[in-house]
Amino acid sequence: TACCARPFCGARVRINDEGALPFNEEGRLEVKRRAKGGSLRMDVEAVPRYLLPNSQSEIVEEYGPFEPADINISLTCSVWVYYIPSEEGGDGEDADAEPEDCTVWLAIDREQVPEEARA
């Protein structure tokens, strides 16, 4: 992951529609390449999509005979911090004013943040 530079526990990758393979303890997986290069289609499993690049589990990388030496898949570790304004505050108060009493919430998936939430 990008935040702690550690592998995602339990992650597996399916290479060009072959069986899913686990990463080693360092988060690496050795893959043979074609002598003239080609395209590597990876389908990442057991990792929430919202952590993957562009929220896509399928990643396609072009490669040559020697380059790149590594293909890194960086996971995001976004955290949304928000609060939900109380219904009592709807009497014309300044919308940008800090709330006096509220509960602050944390979410790791943008889809978990309600529409009425404020940052």
Side-chain angles (χ1 to χ4, degrees):
T1 59
C3 61
C4 62
R6 293 189 158 170
F8 192 92
C9 293
R12 296 179 308 276
V13 66
R14 187 177 302 277
I15 307 283
N16 297 331
D17 293 324
E18 297 293 322
L21 302 168
F23 292 93
N24 67 17
E25 292 174 2
E26 290 91 34
R28 301 177 73 81
L29 175 65
E30 189 172 317
V31 178
K32 292 184 181 186
R33 64 175 72 218
R34 293 184 186 132
K36 294 183 180 183
S39 179
L40 184 68
R41 192 170 63 92
M42 301 168 282
D43 190 17
V44 181
E45 297 181 354
V47 176
R49 282 186 151 180
Y50 59 84
L51 296 178
L52 293 165
N54 301 316
S55 296
Q56 299 293 319
S57 62
E58 186 176 296
I59 301 166
V60 178
E61 291 284 337
E62 301 295 323
Y63 65 90
F66 304 106
E67 296 294 330
D70 292 321
I71 296 173
N72 294 310
I73 302 171
S74 293
L75 305 181
T76 59
C77 294
S78 300
V79 175
W80 283 264
V81 180
Y82 66 94
Y83 73 96
I84 299 174
S86 67
E87 293 177 16
E88 301 165 5
D91 60 354
E93 289 182 309
D94 181 11
D96 294 327
E98 271 189 48
E100 290 185 25
D101 290 316
C102 70
T103 301
V104 175
W105 299 87
L106 299 173
I108 59 171
D109 183 352
R110 174 71 179 110
E111 296 296 318
Q112 296 172 335
V113 179
E115 288 184 25
E116 66 271 16
R118 294 198 183 156

